[in-house]
Amino acid sequence: MDINQITALSKQGESPTLEYKTSTTQLKPAFETLCAFLNKKGGILLIGVKNNGEIIGQDVTDNTRQDISREIKKIEPPIQIEVNYIKTKNGRFVIALEATHGHHAPYVYDGRPYDRIESSTVLMSQHLYEQLIVKRGQLNHSWEIQPANNFSIDNLA
């Protein structure tokens, strides 16, 4: 991802798959949103962009990188979050965090599941959480997806 892509994203406005945060002081709500993205279609979170789309950037230190790493580890089940640091014209950085739709939903951040409704992140309803748990359980235990080796139609009689 480069500054031209960040500029284009900043002009789109927040949506079900795009969120802006002004700085890493908002890491907790940022990762709640990433968790919601994982539970839906995926999405991109830009840190260093105001709600109105203005790119302000932020300073990035080793502590910043460690803080982001710690927050990623709070997502369960574990999943890869793509993190990019894009230098802006003012010498600061926009941090782009990209979460693709997870196949093992529901994902939780810090022990709580989140959902994305339009451009808002909310706690996931218990009903949806339970539906996703059942669906995830079927990924590992569904007999329909097991290969039927060494069997023919005659074995069904």
Side-chain angles (χ1 to χ4, degrees):
M1 194 169 283
D2 62 26
I3 192 62
N4 293 328
Q5 292 169 307
I6 297 298
T7 302
L9 288 171
S10 72
K11 291 178 182 176
Q12 290 181 14
E14 293 183 326
S15 71
T17 58
L18 182 62
E19 176 83 8
Y20 309 142
K21 296 293 180 199
T22 55
S23 75
T24 52
T25 60
Q26 299 175 298
L27 276 183
K28 185 178 183 339
F31 275 84
E32 290 170 356
T33 297
L34 279 174
C35 178
F37 286 162
L38 290 167
N39 287 324
K40 286 286 189 159
K41 301 176 185 176
I44 298 173
L45 186 126
L46 301 177
I47 299 174
V49 178
K50 289 184 175 181
N51 282 346
N52 65 5
E54 179 186 351
I55 298 172
I56 56 173
Q58 81 152 58
D59 296 324
V60 172
T61 65
D62 187 49
N63 284 339
T64 307
R65 293 172 190 267
Q66 289 179 20
D67 289 343
I68 290 170
S69 175
R70 270 191 294 278
E71 296 306 308
I72 289 172
K73 290 177 185 173
K74 292 181 183 179
I75 295 174
E76 294 283 337
I79 192 162
Q80 183 68 37
I81 302 289
E82 186 176 333
V83 182
N84 291 294
Y85 300 90
I86 299 94
K87 197 164 196 167
T88 64
K89 294 175 185 171
N90 64 9
R92 300 175 95 194
F93 293 86
V94 169
I95 304 167
L97 300 151
E98 188 168 357
T100 57
H101 168 72
H103 296 291
H104 293 90
Y107 289 87
V108 297
Y109 165 71
D110 209 13
R112 301 188 86 179
Y114 293 91
D115 193 8
R116 186 76 173 170
I117 301 172
E118 294 300 322
S119 61
S120 296
T121 299
V122 297
L123 276 172
M124 183 178 286
S125 71
Q126 181 179 350
H127 182 72
L128 178 57
Y129 181 76
E130 289 169 351
Q131 286 178 323
L132 292 173
I133 286 286
V134 168
K135 187 177 178 182
R136 179 170 66 187
Q138 292 172 348
L139 286 175
N140 298 325
H141 304 293
S142 180
W143 63 269
E144 302 94 14
I145 60 172
Q146 300 299 320
N149 295 329
N150 301 322
F151 291 98
S152 70
I153 195 73
D154 296 329
N155 295 109
L156 296 176

